[in-house]
Amino acid sequence: MDFQEIVNTCGMAAAVLSVEKTDDGHHGEIRIICSNALYKQKMGDRYRDNMLYSDLVPKDLKFEEYCYRAAALKQHLHAYVEVKGLGFWLDGNYIPLSAEFDDEKLCHFLFCFEFTKNPEAERMSDVSVEVAPLVIETCIKLRGAESFTESMNRVICDIQEKTESFSSCIIMIDKEHNKYAPLCSRFRNDEACMDDFMPYLTPDVVFSWENTIGINDDIIIKDEYDMKELEKINPVWVKSLRSAKVKSLVLVPLRQKKKFAGVLFITNFNTERLVELKEFIELTAFFLSSEITANDLMERLEYMSNIDLLTGVRNRNSMNARVDWHVNGESPVRSPFGIIFADLNGLKQCNDSGGHEAGDELLKKAAALLKEYFGDYEIFRAGGDEFVVIMPGCAQEIFYKKVATLRAVSGYGSDVCLAVGCDWTDDQKNLRLCMHNADEAMYADKNAYYSQHPELHRR
């Protein structure tokens, strides 16, 4: 029986594809050798026998991985995915052909598929016996939490554990307003946190993801070979990945209807379980997208882009915007006003002895202390262990009295020990100068603290 006879026996669109084997254990050219009438009908006039698959449809690293596994490793694979460029869902089977059809350079498999206009539950639930319990357990956690935030945190922890990844996170993206922010994250290493990796997630990287994904349903990088292929498409992102020591990754888009709203981002996962984990991740991402869509995402994103998720006070972006609004006259800080800079003493020592969870708790306590005494004013987490308080319309006497109270409750031996610097002015033009003076005073206070207590390690 030849290849044409094989495809003609199929009752759905089918083609035989060849995969070129390379000496380094990867693949070279992937060609569509021949197909049946249904396949030709669905592919249209551009199809011809023995053509490169990428001349017919866009190049897809994940599809190529499945082709290689089916042809060279003789694995029978199934995938039900959304083909966004065509507006359909594709239910595809990758069926290995007998090795008698292969030679030293070429191996073959049968690809047959059906299109559905919308996702069908019966097809979507047709997953392997290994994947089914993983998805069910994750969905129970997704629906069982009391709040949206809790459910997202539970699920991202579950994903990190099941994929055996270094990090798993959800990043929400609002391209229209040029904003993005992490929704939740989990790291294998207790000493790592999202703040450590945000410098690598620059706007030019994050806002490139949508175009890089294109019409594909995700991006999967399993090794250096795949990384070099990605580099041809998006060198800026790959440079960032290498700097962050990312060796493998999965990036799955999260959508509100058809709008790109964020990504599920997994790094350095167990690549030996690639096929199993791909099923689990893609199906879980489908349910995550549904859950996020049901929770007024844009309002939540606006909140996230201005609020520090750990401490609940405003974040650095919000502080910078506040200063800009003052300078350009859009929303001036009412004078007289005072500025306080407060920096945690001993955070590094806390992290070293109790891990990042203990450090996070200390940061939360610092924010709670500031909210207790300055809750009527504007409190920002400027970054790391540094906080800033802007006190509009505050008389000089009241301002310095509040500063003295803060120093008294956050001195040496307190649960929350702060280095405090401040400045006050009745000149509305001097906001930036006032902030500079308060910052300098805070560092002077910190230096004095460590001079008086040399037994403590400087952060």
Side-chain angles (χ1 to χ4, degrees):
M1 180 180 289
D2 62 19
F3 290 144
Q4 191 63 56
E5 289 182 71
I6 291 173
V7 295
N8 288 343
T9 62
C10 293
M12 62 178 68
V16 169
L17 281 75
S18 69
V19 178
E20 182 183 18
K21 294 181 287 187
T22 60
D23 294 336
D24 62 358
H26 289 91
H27 62 78
E29 291 183 346
I30 298 176
R31 290 185 174 274
I32 309 172
I33 301 301
C34 61
S35 65
N36 63 10
L38 280 173
Y39 188 98
K40 293 173 182 176
Q41 177 185 345
K42 291 182 181 295
M43 292 297 104
D45 296 337
R46 294 175 55 235
Y47 172 80
R48 65 184 186 278
D49 284 350
N50 202 37
M51 71 184 301
L52 290 171
Y53 95 92
S54 54
D55 288 342
L56 183 63
V57 295
K59 187 177 178 65
D60 184 340
L61 293 180
K62 183 190 60 199
F63 175 74
E64 293 181 4
E65 172 71 16
Y66 269 45
C67 290
Y68 177 79
R69 286 175 175 267
L73 305 182
K74 302 304 179 185
Q75 297 177 358
H76 183 179
L77 304 172
H78 168 260
Y80 185 51
V81 298
E82 184 180 8
V83 185
K84 298 175 181 65
L86 300 177
F88 289 97
W89 283 72
L90 185 146
D91 190 355
N93 279 281
Y94 303 71
I95 304 171
L97 294 179
S98 171
E100 67 183 66
F101 292 106
D102 302 339
D103 57 37
E104 291 184 2
K105 285 294 184 182
L106 293 179
C107 46
H108 303 83
F109 75 99
L110 175 68
F111 178 61
C112 51
F113 68 88
E114 290 181 320
F115 282 141
T116 64
K117 183 64 178 175
N118 297 302
E120 296 180 0
E122 183 176 350
R123 295 176 189 263
M124 186 169 287
S125 61
D126 183 19
V127 297
S128 65
V129 293
E130 295 84 9
V131 170
L134 301 181
V135 176
I136 292 171
E137 182 182 346
T138 300
C139 288
I140 289 172
K141 291 180 180 180
L142 182 66
R143 302 303 301 166
E146 294 183 359
S147 70
F148 175 82
T149 300
E150 183 183 351
S151 67
M152 291 297 107
N153 283 324
R154 282 187 181 183
V155 169
I156 207 65
C157 289
D158 210 40
I159 291 172
Q160 186 274 321
E161 291 173 2
K162 286 180 169 58
T163 58
E164 302 173 55
S165 58
F166 173 73
S167 69
S168 299
C169 63
I170 294 175
I171 300 172
M172 305 315 303
I173 301 170
D174 182 0
K175 192 173 182 179
E176 183 180 351
H177 295 94
N178 200 40
K179 295 178 180 178
Y180 59 94
L183 175 61
C184 54
S185 62
R186 173 65 180 264
F187 291 80
R188 180 196 304 148
N189 185 346
D190 288 339
E191 295 183 359
C193 66
M194 199 66 203
D195 284 348
D196 298 331
F197 292 90
M198 288 306 292
Y200 301 108
L201 299 178
T202 58
D204 57 338
V205 168
V206 173
F207 293 121
S208 73
W209 289 339
E210 184 174 11
N211 288 334
T212 302
I213 292 171
I215 65 171
N216 301 317
D217 54 320
D218 56 34
I219 293 173
I220 298 177
I221 303 298
K222 70 180 186 304
D223 54 23
E224 180 60 21
Y225 175 86
D226 290 347
M227 192 70 77
K228 288 179 179 177
E229 290 295 307
L230 179 62
E231 192 170 22
K232 297 174 184 177
I233 305 169
N234 194 332
V236 174
W237 183 22
V238 170
K239 182 180 179 181
S240 171
L241 291 171
R242 294 191 193 283
S243 298
K245 295 181 172 55
V246 173
K247 305 294 185 182
S248 62
L249 70 93
V250 180
L251 187 81
V252 186
L254 303 174
R255 301 180 185 274
Q256 280 192 305
K257 296 182 179 178
K258 294 188 177 182
K259 185 176 180 180
F260 188 83
V263 297
L264 171 60
F265 194 176
I266 299 167
T267 67
N268 295 350
F269 65 100
N270 184 349
T271 57
E272 293 181 2
R273 298 170 57 210
L274 176 65
V275 174
E276 173 192 344
L277 294 179
K278 174 188 173 298
E279 270 192 301
F280 164 67
I281 293 167
E282 289 179 348
L283 195 51
T284 301
F286 177 84
F287 291 112
L288 280 172
S289 293
S290 300
E291 185 72 11
I292 291 171
T293 298
N295 278 273
D296 196 4
L297 181 59
M298 287 304 102
E299 180 178 338
R300 191 170 298 276
L301 179 60
E302 182 68 24
Y303 174 85
M304 288 189 300
S305 66
N306 291 289
I307 300 296
D308 176 61
L309 298 181
L310 177 65
T311 62
V313 301
R314 302 182 196 185
N315 62 20
R316 186 177 185 85
N317 289 337
S318 181
M319 183 182 75
N320 290 338
R322 185 69 184 94
V323 174
D324 289 343
W325 293 339
H326 174 87
V327 172
N328 65 27
E330 183 177 341
S331 178
V333 176
R334 183 163 49 93
S335 61
F337 56 79
I339 304 292
I340 298 172
F341 272 62
D343 194 291
L344 267 171
N345 289 323
L347 180 61
K348 182 180 184 302
Q349 186 182 40
C350 180
N351 282 331
D352 290 345
S353 61
H356 272 275
E357 289 185 1
D360 287 349
E361 286 302 314
L362 186 57
L363 285 165
K364 291 177 185 178
K365 287 181 180 180
L369 181 69
L370 292 172
K371 284 188 279 190
E372 179 180 352
Y373 291 95
F374 302 94
D376 295 333
Y377 299 101
E378 300 171 22
I379 307 171
F380 305 87
R381 183 184 176 194
D385 51 0
E386 186 173 277
F387 296 84
V388 174
V389 181
I390 299 177
M391 301 174 64
C394 184
Q396 186 176 26
E397 180 180 355
I398 295 175
F399 173 73
Y400 284 109
K401 184 176 180 179
K402 284 186 170 290
V403 171
T405 301
L406 177 63
R407 292 183 188 278
V409 298
S410 63
Y412 178 73
S414 303
D415 286 344
V416 176
C417 183
L418 298 172
V420 177
C422 66
D423 196 29
W424 178 92
T425 182
D426 58 1
D427 185 349
Q428 193 176 67
K429 297 179 181 179
N430 282 344
L431 176 62
R432 283 180 171 164
L433 176 61
C434 195
M435 293 181 74
H436 172 76
N437 291 341
D439 190 33
E440 291 289 312
M442 182 270 291
Y443 275 104
D445 190 46
K446 181 170 282 289
N447 288 333
Y449 173 85
Y450 284 105
S451 294
Q452 294 170 14
H453 307 287
E455 75 278 9
L456 298 178
H457 293 291
R458 185 74 182 267
R459 68 183 177 93

